[in-house]
Amino acid sequence: MLVLLVHFRKELFMKLFPIRFLVSAVIALGFVTAAHSQEALPVSAAASVNGVIISNDTVEQGIQAALSQGQKDSPELRSAVLGKLIEISLLSQQADKDGLANSDRANRQLALIRQNYLADLELSTFMSKNPVSDADVQAEYNREIASLGVQGMIVEYKVSDIAVASEADAQAALVRIKKGESFDKVAKSVSLAPNKVQGGAVGWVQAGQTLPQIASVLVTLSKGQVSPAPIQMPQGWYLIKLEDKKSSKPPTFEQAKVAIRNGLTQKKQFEYLSQLRQGASIVVR
């Protein structure tokens, strides 16, 4: 997925905006070209740049994006957001003047931005219609506690993985590992996942936090062991390695509810995407 990164100029605000904010900024500043005099701004406007309006809604999206990244609301933050939007407007207007707006490169990127934005909007809309309720979170917590058995301890697994596009690629990677190459080295060499730079390190997970295809293999592995065969997933083929294993007392509901809600949300999104895949005609070269 294309990710556009925009930094605040001031060091205090060197945070990245999520793509939904930047897409909104591009749409609001790149295509809304109604002219207004600098002296008579409409009530809905935060600023005007050469007659192009920067709306209060667009500024508020920027504020919310910054707050979601840990920023504190303040006059300085609001000023920095508006300043960045003014810079974006100036640059986009100059791009129009330079004839860049209708270039093949711009059209390809704008089409991709639109696609990404609509995908994000579709997921957001789906989740708003199918939210994870408090009752869902409580039920999942109860289920997980019950699944711990008599001892009532959580088992966590420190995992590394290798993700590739085909079963043949996964088998080739497995052969290299069986011949003595380290999992870390092979992951850095062939994995398609972002964590390849960390040698495929995933970190500590519980079996229930992974998809069934992974969990069913994970619980059978001994420390240091690699999955004996490639694991097929919707997005590719995986090899996993159990780096370590530990047991601990479960958290209270209050401690766990945020993580449980996030996990249930991801599960709903995954199931929705799986449903879309099943109903689609997908041809890959």
Side-chain angles (χ1 to χ4, degrees):
M1 177 177 285
L2 173 68
V3 180
L4 301 181
L5 303 179
V6 176
H7 293 267
F8 286 126
R9 174 170 292 174
K10 296 182 179 180
E11 183 176 354
L12 176 61
F13 306 112
M14 291 298 287
K15 295 279 189 176
L16 301 181
F17 284 106
I19 189 168
R20 65 172 60 89
F21 164 64
L22 293 179
V23 170
S24 299
V26 169
I27 292 173
L29 300 175
F31 298 106
V32 180
T33 57
H36 294 267
S37 68
Q38 298 296 105
E39 293 78 17
L41 292 178
V43 175
S44 61
S48 172
V49 181
N50 296 323
V52 177
I53 292 298
I54 299 174
S55 71
N56 290 322
D57 286 344
T58 301
V59 175
E60 188 58 30
Q61 287 181 47
I63 297 296
Q64 293 304 315
L67 295 180
S68 72
Q69 303 250 339
Q71 301 280 3
K72 300 296 184 182
D73 197 352
S74 67
E76 292 79 13
L77 175 63
R78 291 178 176 272
S79 176
V81 169
L82 181 57
K84 178 52 65 179
L85 289 171
I86 289 171
E87 290 178 358
I88 292 173
S89 184
L90 287 169
L91 288 169
S92 65
Q93 290 178 42
Q94 189 60 46
D96 272 323
K97 292 177 182 178
D98 292 342
L100 301 178
N102 292 319
S103 66
D104 289 343
R105 180 180 178 184
N107 287 331
R108 285 195 302 269
Q109 292 299 316
L110 289 172
L112 188 54
I113 289 171
R114 180 179 184 276
Q115 184 180 48
N116 288 333
Y117 175 75
L118 289 176
D120 184 70
L121 180 61
E122 175 61 24
L123 270 183
S124 298
T125 302
F126 171 78
M127 290 308 303
S128 69
K129 294 178 179 178
N130 301 274
V132 175
S133 68
D134 292 342
D136 292 335
V137 176
Q138 182 67 66
E140 178 62 17
Y141 178 79
N142 294 342
R143 187 195 67 77
E144 292 184 8
I145 292 297
S147 72
L148 299 178
V150 178
Q151 293 184 342
M153 299 293 284
I154 292 177
V155 179
E156 294 181 280
Y157 304 85
K158 189 177 183 181
V159 181
S160 295
D161 67 15
I162 294 172
V164 292
S166 68
E167 184 178 13
D169 290 340
Q171 288 286 7
L174 186 58
V175 168
R176 290 174 58 181
I177 293 168
K178 288 181 176 179
K179 288 183 177 180
E181 286 191 65
S182 69
F183 192 95
D184 174 279
K185 180 179 178 181
V186 177
K188 289 179 178 178
S189 172
V190 303
S191 183
L192 301 177
N195 63 342
K196 67 178 293 182
V197 296
Q198 290 86 35
V202 174
W204 290 96
V205 299
Q206 299 170 34
Q209 295 172 332
T210 65
L211 294 175
Q213 301 95 313
I214 296 291
S216 61
V217 176
L218 183 59
V219 297
T220 68
L221 298 179
S222 301
K223 182 177 177 179
Q225 188 178 4
V226 176
S227 51
I231 303 168
Q232 186 175 13
M233 301 287 285
Q235 64 271 43
W237 291 80
Y238 280 70
L239 298 174
I240 60 173
K241 179 182 178 183
L242 178 59
E243 305 284 359
D244 204 352
K245 183 178 176 179
K246 66 181 179 181
S247 298
S248 60
K249 292 182 179 180
T252 65
F253 175 72
E254 287 300 315
Q255 292 171 327
K257 65 181 182 181
V258 173
I260 291 175
R261 187 179 296 277
N262 290 340
L264 291 175
T265 297
Q266 291 174 5
K267 182 180 179 183
K268 277 181 176 283
Q269 292 176 343
F270 175 80
E271 290 172 347
Y272 182 50
L273 284 168
S274 296
Q275 176 186 334
L276 293 178
R277 279 178 173 271
Q278 291 173 3
S281 174
I282 301 174
V283 179
V284 180
R285 183 179 297 277

